[in-house]
Amino acid sequence: MPPKNTRPGASSPDSGHHRRKSSTNRHSLHVPATPSQLRESHVPASRTPSPEATMKSGYYDGAEGSNSSPKTSPRTSPQNDSDPIFDNDGIHLRLDQASVHSNDDAAPAETIDGILEVDLESTLRSRLLSHKHWDQASGCGSEHCNHGTFSPRPGTVRSYGSIGSDVSHEGFGGRYPGGLGTAPGEHADVTHALLGDTVADGVLGGGRGKKMSTTRYLAKRHGIKSEKRMYLAYYIPIFNWIRQYKWAYLRGDLVAALTMASFYIPMALSYASNLGHLPAINGLYSFVVNPLIYAILGTCPLMVVGPEAAGSLLTGEVVRGNIKKGTTEDGDGTRNAEIAGIVTCMAGGMIFAAGLFRLGFLDSVLSRPFLRGFISAIGVVIFVDQLIPEMGLARLASEAGEVSHGSCVDKIVFIFGHIKQANGLTCAVSFGAFGIIMALRETKKRLQPRYPSVAYVPDRFIVVVLSAIFAWRFRWDLHGVGVLGEVKASGKLFAVHFPFETSHLKYASDAFNTAMIIALLGFFESSVAAKSLGSGDPKKEGITDVTLSANRELIALGTANITGGLFMALPAFGGYGRSKVNASTGGTTPMSSIFLSLITLLCIFFLLPYMYYLPVSKGVLSAMISVVAYSLVEEAPGDIRFFWRIRGWSELILMFVIFATTIFWDLKKGIAVGIGLSILRLIRHSTRPRIQILGRVPGTTDKFANAELEPDRLEFIEGCLIVKIPEPLTFANTGELKNRLKRLEYHGTGAAHPALPRVRKEEHNKNIIFDVHGVTSLDGAGAQVLSEIVESYRARDVRVFFCRVPGEQTEVWRLFEASGIVEACGGRRHFVTSVEQALGMTELESLTEVYRDAVLPEGSGR
């Protein structure tokens, strides 16, 4: 019978026939009557040749041309090193060559081209896949592998597909090979491991040899002369972008700063007086200190830092709480400002500490539904709060006592109960200003795509100026409309008050919880703005080489708020809307934030007397805050429609619960419930194993898919349970791993209820194959659970195989060996490179058992 596959340069048909006949005679006693013809195990060559060399040498017989005689074929030699060994212990491959983790030292020096055949002849593709370093080209197995098409590729000696003959790392970067410690991924120098490259190199001077860091190694290799300047420009970005600044950027930055000042200086006054219950000037301090410090330390060039409605409202909650307890009075501006300074300083301290401990990942804890529900609730709360001064009912509300500090529902009830006592002129001014601002806002939104310059029109500033002129001309202050009056500081301008004096400790306990909430919300909003804006528009000229960093953002925001707290300013964080105004009106660099600080400083020193007639408490600025409140709510319908369309019921429930709790209870309870539910959802998600049972695609030998998704299209392998673990294993998600595996063993699926009796036959679980390509990390607790699972299988005489395990230089493989998993499975031969090869090993193990049962009784009888 001729061979199934005939290729140019392959052995002659006679040679192939002689080889197959010899192999058949040898194994005929122990081969199954109806072999599956679907599994094969290959012994790879020690060095993979090029395709041309493979074709010339004859892949099957190792002889060139078609005239090779069977005598020269290494396959027919009974002493061939690649043939399996038959002895009293069973059938073995020489030197464990089928394992992906075979020892290089144990491998023979000559090229091995042996194949253990069941029935199919091997192909070039399967031979490459069986190679010990089959996945080296994609970086898989190294600690830097991203398991993707474009993963980092290590330098290799000339091999299949390579061009150069020497190892070359020029221009590729890479880790310093001399700095690796004994453990996988460990640094050889303790100083670098503990303190990091910045301190060890930039401050202490670093070292040489094994004490050299990868950063210094790459810097020296690529001609970077001043490492200290490199670290300085990274951690204090102004030293980076100031060198790139051009006079061409000046006009855009200045126009953007003037536009933002016209919008947000009146807003800051209103935030302080209406929401924070502070002197109005303390709102301006937030636009002097915080943008300036962020321009020095921040990593997002276009982001502008300033007070926000939510943070100002939460600060006002603390002030009103102390007023309610009697520790301060509503008219005591100095004391109220000090309380606000404590809140701001504590929020900044928390943010700063989070940056030092590299907790920048926390912005992922608060989900989008949580934020949308809470921010929408804040918008409603602010809108209802502003209705009281807009209708001229502020004095009645303060006399009622509980209404000012009650829930949103209490205030709605109060408004409807006293609607007849509202001041008509105040209502006309307030609602008229609200309608004009909303109309101008919508007009600008519609015109801006066609006329981009309309974004420069300071509509809110115009409304504020006109209202001040009307208030002065018609003396609205004499007709019951409240005006801002004289704006002055409580004491000297920019007086520094240390917030943690002994006399202030009684306010700290009340401020702590609120400061934490402000810090979380502020950082999340800043993170969203920074990620959305990035490093600027790549199509526009501007600052380059500024890398966004969540941890450095925490440091910058923390430093800004700690400094602002010393001046009793409101908490200030990055705002997406304000930053978009900056970008759309010409801002290209952090210099626009510096200009904004300078303009606000000029307003404090020279323009405050002209703000006397601004109708604040019962007028235009309350209406401006209502517009902000509306903007907080207007995005909620879009999110609700989205989650409704995708049937995200859990997200909708979370959003509704947080919204209702905040409206019917208060802000603190709403945020507490929201954070609690978000943490519970996160824990539930992280502790749930996502193992999959795999089935084979019919008509193939090497394609497997999730049998849960397409149970009718896939086929199961007799005697084998193939389980894929697509995620890292940690203490969190291994707790339920045993139960999930048991359900797969009993039912062949994880979708059946555990009450169902066993329906999957036990003989189909004699071989357990774990595909662990997704296990990119493993901790001690996860290794312990996995070791117990393997030992329980072995105690039941179930064979366990692992395929696609990360390489020996990784922490995952170290834990596999240290925990005894490798030994419990039966050695390195049970760790292979693919599911297909694992199936071949299961058949080999079955042949071994048949051979042992047949040979050992005869040997004992002799």
Side-chain angles (χ1 to χ4, degrees):
M1 178 180 178
K4 296 180 181 181
N5 297 319
T6 305
R7 305 184 184 186
S11 300
S12 66
D14 294 338
S15 175
H17 175 72
H18 177 82
R19 182 191 64 216
R20 185 168 289 103
K21 183 178 179 180
S22 175
S23 177
T24 304
N25 291 336
R26 181 183 301 175
H27 306 304
S28 59
L29 294 177
H30 308 292
V31 172
T34 56
S36 64
Q37 300 184 3
L38 293 176
R39 309 175 194 167
E40 52 184 344
S41 179
H42 306 286
V43 183
S46 60
R47 183 184 297 272
T48 307
S50 65
E52 295 81 7
T54 302
M55 299 299 289
K56 290 181 180 179
S57 62
Y59 182 74
Y60 294 96
D61 288 307
E64 183 174 351
S66 60
N67 298 324
S68 300
S69 107
K71 296 181 181 180
T72 62
S73 173
R75 301 197 183 275
T76 61
S77 174
Q79 302 299 326
N80 184 17
D81 290 338
S82 63
D83 284 339
I85 301 173
F86 293 79
D87 57 19
N88 291 338
D89 294 331
I91 306 174
H92 305 280
L93 287 177
R94 295 180 183 272
L95 302 176
D96 221 2
Q97 292 161 4
S99 171
V100 66
H101 294 287
S102 300
N103 291 324
D104 291 338
D105 297 336
E110 65 274 7
T111 300
I112 299 174
D113 194 20
I115 302 176
L116 175 63
E117 296 186 46
V118 175
D119 190 60
L120 292 181
E121 296 186 4
S122 61
T123 62
L124 179 60
R125 177 180 177 278
S126 62
R127 183 165 185 237
L128 290 172
L129 288 175
S130 300
H131 197 283
K132 174 183 173 183
H133 301 293
W134 67 278
D135 208 14
Q136 189 177 19
S138 65
C140 182
S142 70
E143 60 187 315
H144 302 295
C145 177
N146 293 325
H147 296 83
T149 306
F150 300 102
S151 300
R153 302 179 184 275
T156 58
V157 185
R158 179 178 179 86
S159 60
Y160 175 67
S162 66
I163 298 176
S165 58
D166 299 323
V167 176
S168 174
H169 295 281
E170 279 302 322
F172 289 96
R175 187 165 183 170
Y176 174 45
L180 294 174
T182 54
E186 184 184 76
H187 202 289
D189 184 29
V190 180
T191 305
H192 284 90
L194 293 177
L195 302 179
D197 293 353
T198 305
V199 177
D201 290 341
V203 179
L204 302 180
R208 297 181 178 180
K210 289 189 174 181
K211 293 187 176 182
M212 182 186 295
S213 67
T214 297
T215 305
R216 170 162 288 189
Y217 164 74
L218 293 174
K220 288 183 176 293
R221 191 165 185 179
H222 294 83
I224 299 174
K225 298 179 180 179
S226 177
E227 294 178 37
K228 292 184 178 180
R229 185 181 301 171
M230 174 185 71
Y231 285 118
L232 186 66
Y234 181 81
Y235 286 104
I236 307 179
I238 191 173
F239 290 107
N240 179 14
W241 64 261
I242 199 66
R243 292 179 296 171
Q244 305 178 43
Y245 198 81
K246 302 177 182 178
W247 286 108
Y249 304 155
L250 185 63
R251 176 182 174 273
D253 289 338
L254 185 58
V255 170
L258 288 169
T259 306
M260 286 188 294
S262 67
F263 287 168
Y264 293 106
I265 285 179
M267 297 283 277
L269 295 170
S270 187
Y271 284 158
S273 60
N274 285 22
L275 299 181
H277 298 279
L278 312 174
I281 195 171
N282 290 84
L284 296 182
Y285 288 164
S286 299
F287 269 127
V288 174
V289 178
N290 296 64
L292 179 63
I293 293 178
Y294 184 82
I296 297 172
L297 299 176
T299 62
C300 182
L302 295 178
M303 192 163 76
V304 181
V305 173
E308 293 290 335
S312 303
L313 181 64
L314 290 168
T315 304
E317 289 284 324
V318 178
V319 174
R320 285 192 293 182
N322 282 277
I323 294 173
K324 184 178 180 180
K325 291 193 303 184
T327 54
T328 183
E329 297 179 1
D330 200 2
D332 190 352
T334 302
R335 183 67 64 189
N336 294 344
E338 290 175 353
I339 295 173
I342 293 173
V343 175
T344 303
C345 208
M346 291 180 71
M350 293 175 187
I351 291 286
F352 186 84
L356 286 181
F357 290 101
R358 304 179 66 82
L359 301 180
F361 62 88
L362 288 177
D363 66 334
S364 302
V365 174
L366 304 182
S367 64
R368 178 71 174 268
F370 162 79
L371 282 167
R372 180 54 56 210
F374 184 70
I375 291 174
S376 299
I378 284 181
V380 173
V381 169
I382 292 174
F383 193 88
V384 172
D385 277 353
Q386 297 310 303
L387 284 176
I388 294 176
E390 285 172 358
M391 297 173 66
L393 300 174
R395 181 174 298 176
L396 288 175
S398 62
E399 292 174 356
E402 292 295 328
V403 175
S404 299
H405 313 291
S407 67
C408 185
V409 177
D410 294 334
K411 293 173 183 177
I412 293 175
V413 172
F414 171 82
I415 290 171
F416 279 101
H418 296 80
I419 193 169
K420 294 182 179 180
Q421 298 171 274
N423 183 286
L425 182 57
T426 301
C427 290
V429 171
S430 303
F431 297 138
F434 177 81
I436 292 171
I437 294 173
M438 288 295 295
L440 291 175
R441 179 175 178 264
E442 187 64 25
T443 302
K444 287 177 65 175
K445 186 185 298 184
R446 293 175 180 271
L447 292 178
Q448 195 165 351
R450 183 177 296 179
Y451 306 104
S453 58
V454 80
Y456 293 84
V457 178
D459 51 342
R460 301 182 193 184
F461 181 71
I462 294 172
V463 171
V464 169
V465 171
L466 289 176
S467 67
I469 294 173
F470 291 156
W472 166 74
R473 177 68 180 80
F474 299 107
R475 298 306 305 262
W476 284 349
D477 57 319
L478 301 180
H479 295 83
V481 177
V483 295
L484 183 63
E486 186 179 1
V487 180
K488 60 181 180 180
S490 302
K492 297 181 180 179
L493 287 176
F494 294 101
V496 176
H497 291 265
F498 184 68
F500 300 112
E501 296 178 0
T502 308
S503 60
H504 295 164
L505 293 180
K506 57 185 176 183
Y507 309 120
S509 59
D510 295 333
F512 183 82
N513 295 334
T514 303
M516 181 177 291
I517 296 171
I518 292 172
L520 282 173
L521 286 177
F523 170 59
F524 188 88
E525 185 173 4
S526 301
S527 177
V528 170
K531 290 176 182 178
S532 302
L533 295 166
S535 299
D537 188 350
K539 298 179 180 180
K540 294 173 62 178
E541 193 175 5
I543 304 301
T544 59
D545 297 331
V546 178
T547 306
L548 290 177
S549 168
N551 294 312
R552 286 186 291 148
E553 283 291 293
L554 287 169
I555 294 292
L557 294 171
T559 304
N561 280 285
I562 289 173
T563 309
L566 297 177
F567 295 99
M568 298 171 290
L570 287 171
F573 295 92
Y576 180 70
R578 183 169 51 243
S579 302
K580 286 294 290 182
V581 171
N582 177 39
S584 63
T585 54
T588 54
T589 75
M591 189 63 75
S592 60
S593 294
I594 296 177
F595 285 148
L596 177 61
S597 296
L598 295 176
I599 293 170
T600 309
L601 193 65
L602 292 175
C603 288
I604 291 175
F605 282 108
F606 301 108
L607 298 181
L608 287 184
Y610 301 97
M611 297 183 182
Y612 182 92
Y613 284 102
L614 288 182
V616 174
S617 60
K618 302 181 181 72
V620 175
L621 296 186
S622 294
M624 292 178 66
I625 292 181
S626 296
V627 174
V628 174
Y630 175 81
S631 68
L632 295 178
V633 179
E634 67 178 343
E635 293 184 10
D639 285 350
I640 292 173
R641 284 194 300 269
F642 174 80
F643 289 119
W644 185 275
R645 186 171 67 250
I646 67 171
R647 298 183 180 182
W649 310 127
S650 62
E651 287 80 6
L652 287 172
I653 291 173
L654 176 66
M655 194 184 305
F656 176 77
V657 169
I658 295 172
F659 181 85
T661 305
T662 306
I663 294 297
F664 289 97
W665 210 339
D666 59 35
L667 290 172
K668 293 182 180 179
K669 301 299 188 300
I671 194 75
V673 170
I675 291 176
L677 291 176
S678 295
I679 292 176
L680 286 176
R681 292 180 73 234
L682 181 64
I683 293 174
R684 181 178 179 272
H685 179 78
S686 62
T687 56
R688 187 177 183 179
R690 294 167 186 81
I691 60 174
Q692 306 168 5
I693 181 170
L694 299 184
R696 184 171 53 200
V697 178
T700 66
T701 62
D702 59 347
K703 293 182 179 180
F704 300 84
N706 187 357
E708 301 278 10
L709 301 180
E710 299 176 289
D712 295 335
R713 195 178 68 87
L714 304 176
E715 61 184 13
F716 291 102
I717 313 298
E718 293 185 5
C720 296
L721 175 64
I722 308 173
V723 178
K724 181 178 181 179
I725 305 178
E727 60 184 348
L729 291 178
T730 64
F731 72 95
N733 60 358
T734 51
E736 283 293 313
L737 187 58
K738 293 181 181 179
N739 291 334
R740 293 284 175 176
L741 285 171
K742 186 176 180 180
R743 292 172 68 173
L744 294 184
E745 293 177 43
Y746 276 40
H747 309 134
T749 175
H753 194 277
L756 180 70
R758 181 171 197 152
V759 296
R760 181 182 169 92
K761 294 181 179 180
E762 192 170 356
E763 59 262 26
H764 292 322
N765 301 329
K766 296 300 294 181
N767 299 282
I768 307 294
I769 300 174
F770 289 105
D771 181 357
V772 293
H773 187 57
V775 183
T776 54
S777 63
L778 178 69
D779 65 4
Q784 184 181 28
V785 173
L786 195 59
S787 175
E788 293 172 355
I789 291 172
V790 172
E791 289 174 357
S792 67
Y793 281 137
R794 296 301 298 137
R796 289 154 37 194
D797 291 330
V798 175
R799 293 186 289 267
V800 181
F801 300 87
F802 285 87
C803 61
R804 302 204 291 176
V805 182
E808 296 184 13
Q809 74 277 18
T810 62
E811 181 69 10
V812 175
W813 177 253
R814 187 192 72 80
L815 287 173
F816 265 70
E817 282 194 316
S819 61
I821 295 175
V822 177
E823 183 180 356
C825 288
R828 297 188 174 209
R829 62 182 291 164
H830 283 246
F831 290 78
V832 293
T833 59
S834 66
V835 175
E836 183 185 15
Q837 196 173 57
L839 291 174
M841 291 298 296
T842 63
E843 188 165 305
L844 180 64
E845 293 287 339
S846 299
L847 290 173
T848 302
E849 290 185 2
V850 174
Y851 176 81
R852 185 182 295 114
D853 294 340
V855 172
L856 287 183
E858 298 177 5
S860 60
R862 293 177 184 177

